[in-house]
Amino acid sequence: MVLYDKLLAGYNTQLDHSGINGKRLASRLHELSKIGAGENGGVTRIGYSPEEKHAKEIVSKWMTEAGLEVTTDGAGNVFGRLKGKSEGPIVMSGSHLDTVPSGGNFDGVLGVLAALEVAEAWKETGYIPPVSYEVAIFSDEEGSRFNAGITGSDAFMGNLSNEVLDTYIDAEGKSFDEVIHEYGSSREEFLQPASVEKDMQFFAEVHIEQGEVLEKFDRPVGIVNGIAGPAWLEVTFEGKAGHAGNTPMGSRKDPVIAAGIFVSEIESLPSKVSETAVATVGKLNVHPNGVNVIAQKVELIVDIRDINERTRDQLVELICQKAESVAEQRGLQAKWNLNTKIKPLPIKRDLQERLADVVNKLGITPTFIPSGAGHDAMILGERIPAAMIFARSKEGISHNPKEWTSLDDCVMAVHVLKQLLEKVMEEK
Ligand SMILES: [Zn+2]
């Protein structure tokens, strides 16, 4: 069955009201699923690739047909403007159309199409927004092109420098300049932050949850209460290598045991700082990694996240203390180094409350969830009030051809976005 039919099977057409149209949304999700489609049902639209560009062109055409004025900035970000009743700070909504290799049909795409569906709904009902509204497509959000992150929105906000761009090399060995020239722009244009020309009061993004909380609570949509910023703590336990057969148990300094104790004790630490904090060890290197060798050292990385910088940093501190106490207890050395530290973005309380009002009115119990992953809203939110709406993901699967959000849930997210935008513009 093609995506369009799959989406419409079982769709609750009562959700078609206030100008929002499930069939239109389904047909657009379907059209975009063909761009970069692979044999396994996944789509590959790497940032600044011909596929990403093609997807942007298709959506730009829909924007024009909906009466939006389309512009592009030097980073390839696309904006479709619906003129409002008056000048004054604009509101914006959008997301991205690039994917990871063999990604799904909803991550990013839903946020762009939801923002466009709101403009379609307004056009259909004759609603003219009090201020201008822009639908945005940000380039290379997944960061797959240069193995970096969130390129388009970072450029939009002026967060990238020549020094950073000099380090960008793609998988084929092309430099940033080669890639951006092929795309049809230049470094000079790329480095002109388009955000300075836009007087913005608000940004909202619809995105699939990429987690299982909404499914667990049986809610179609959720309210993001913050976007977690990761801190990566590299920890090394250094012991004493020895022969597995000839070293008595009592005289060992085995760093694998220290690492084992440390990893298992980390599990209980996040709840000591907040309800939303998490910590994960997903990568360990054992040296020399031999079957019959007591290891010399173990290097591991702890990924530590929370939506609050203060509690996230408290957790980093607790984990460092734990490394020290485990090393002491086992009579060996521990060293650590915090090599990545990205600022988390808490979503403003009043925006969360407005979203809760909207969600309640639609008959849904508000569910507040932190976002563990980074998004365009996190970058814009550093300087512009920003909100995020999550749509339920089946089994929390994302970055995978199996990614799935029902059309009912997609459309419900559009209703939430539309009402939120109206509320923000009218109550201002
Ligand atoms: Zn995304």
Side-chain angles (χ1 to χ4, degrees):
M1 212 174 357
V2 297
L3 185 64
Y4 179 73
D5 296 330
K6 253 164 95 180
L7 283 163
L8 280 169
Y11 175 57
N12 173 11
T13 50
Q14 286 184 347
L15 288 166
D16 283 351
H17 63 85
S18 316
I20 292 168
N21 184 319
K23 266 192 179 169
R24 179 169 49 215
L25 185 59
S27 80
R28 289 177 172 178
L29 284 163
H30 174 76
E31 279 309 307
L32 292 175
S33 75
K34 295 191 243 169
I35 319 300
E39 278 160 16
N40 62 353
V43 283
T44 304
R45 291 190 299 265
I46 304 301
Y48 300 110
S49 66
E51 292 79 18
E52 188 208 35
K53 198 172 192 180
H54 186 189
K56 285 171 176 168
E57 284 162 1
I58 289 176
V59 176
S60 299
K61 190 180 108 235
W62 294 332
M63 286 176 173
T64 309
E65 285 165 5
L68 309 185
E69 190 195 325
V70 179
T71 54
T72 303
D73 72 7
N77 302 314
V78 178
F79 306 95
R81 176 178 281 229
L82 177 69
K83 227 175 133 27
K85 278 185 194 148
S86 62
E87 303 294 316
I90 66 160
V91 294
M92 183 187 280
S93 180
S95 193
H96 59 97
L97 297 176
D98 66 300
T99 68
V100 295
S102 201
N105 290 314
F106 299 87
D107 181 347
V109 176
L110 178 63
V112 171
L113 295 182
L116 178 57
E117 189 58 30
V118 169
E120 297 277 8
W122 285 340
K123 188 181 128 194
E124 243 173 79
T125 55
Y127 175 89
I128 301 168
V131 292
S132 294
Y133 168 62
E134 289 195 9
V135 177
I137 309 169
F138 291 105
S139 303
D140 192 36
E141 188 274 346
E142 300 290 3
S144 305
R145 186 63 189 252
F146 301 109
N147 221 345
I150 318 198
T151 315
S153 42
D154 259 334
F156 177 69
M157 298 304 287
N159 295 343
L160 294 170
S161 62
N162 277 314
E163 291 71 42
V164 172
L165 298 181
D166 286 342
T167 66
Y168 280 11
I169 293 167
D170 77 0
E172 288 169 29
K174 284 184 191 158
S175 69
F176 170 78
D177 295 291
E178 287 173 80
V179 170
I180 207 73
H181 275 125
E182 270 176 27
Y183 190 79
S185 184
S186 66
R187 182 186 282 240
E188 293 64 40
E189 288 169 273
F190 181 95
L191 283 171
Q192 311 241 317
S195 61
V196 297
E197 276 147 44
K198 293 185 196 290
D199 186 10
M200 285 177 67
Q201 58 164 296
F202 181 59
F203 178 77
E205 182 174 5
V206 167
H207 203 280
I208 56 165
E209 183 197 345
Q210 305 174 279
E212 294 176 276
V213 176
L214 294 170
E215 197 170 57
K216 199 169 121 208
F217 289 99
D218 192 23
R219 310 266 156 77
V221 293
I223 298 163
V224 177
N225 53 9
I227 303 172
W232 286 352
L233 185 71
E234 279 178 359
V235 179
T236 306
F237 288 102
E238 179 110 36
K240 194 165 171 251
H243 191 286
N246 298 336
T247 318
M249 294 309 288
S251 56
R252 296 180 179 202
K253 285 187 171 150
D254 187 343
V256 174
I257 298 186
I261 296 170
F262 174 67
V263 171
S264 63
E265 296 212 355
I266 283 177
E267 199 184 14
S268 65
L269 299 178
S271 64
K272 290 190 163 56
V273 301
S274 82
E275 279 178 7
T276 47
V278 289
T280 310
V281 177
K283 187 171 178 169
L284 294 112
N285 287 320
V286 177
H287 300 275
N289 208 25
V291 177
N292 56 355
V293 186
I294 299 165
Q296 173 68 32
K297 66 176 176 180
V298 175
E299 294 166 334
L300 56 92
I301 298 179
V302 196
D303 175 301
I304 305 158
R305 295 172 192 236
D306 202 357
I307 56 176
N308 241 299
E309 193 172 23
R310 189 181 51 83
T311 48
R312 196 264 320 262
D313 291 351
Q314 271 174 5
L315 181 54
V316 170
E317 192 50 45
L318 282 180
I319 290 173
C320 293
Q321 284 167 10
K322 182 58 76 181
E324 189 161 30
S325 71
V326 169
E328 217 178 273
Q329 181 194 328
R330 304 297 307 181
L332 38 74
Q333 299 294 315
K335 285 189 301 195
W336 53 87
N337 175 37
L338 193 62
N339 74 354
T340 299
K341 204 176 161 193
I342 294 168
K343 234 177 155 55
L345 178 80
I347 305 278
K348 286 195 172 63
R349 190 63 44 117
D350 67 305
L351 285 171
Q352 290 185 47
E353 279 163 14
R354 280 174 174 188
L355 261 169
D357 280 352
V358 165
V359 165
N360 262 321
K361 275 203 194 105
L362 287 160
I364 303 160
T365 311
T367 310
F368 298 91
I369 23 184
S371 170
H375 296 288
D376 293 306
M378 176 175 82
I379 307 297
L380 273 75
E382 284 167 16
R383 294 205 291 280
I384 299 156
M388 271 196 96
I389 299 153
F390 271 170
R392 172 167 46 190
S393 298
K394 187 170 179 239
E395 289 166 32
I397 297 169
S398 79
H399 289 184
N400 186 293
K402 289 204 190 99
E403 196 172 277
W404 179 256
T405 295
S406 74
L407 187 57
D408 282 19
D409 295 351
C410 293
V411 170
M412 192 54 95
V414 180
H415 279 292
V416 173
L417 174 66
K418 177 174 167 286
Q419 295 191 17
L420 173 70
L421 292 169
E422 289 167 4
K423 215 172 165 66
V424 167
M425 288 186 291
E426 284 159 13
E427 286 172 9
K428 198 81 191 173

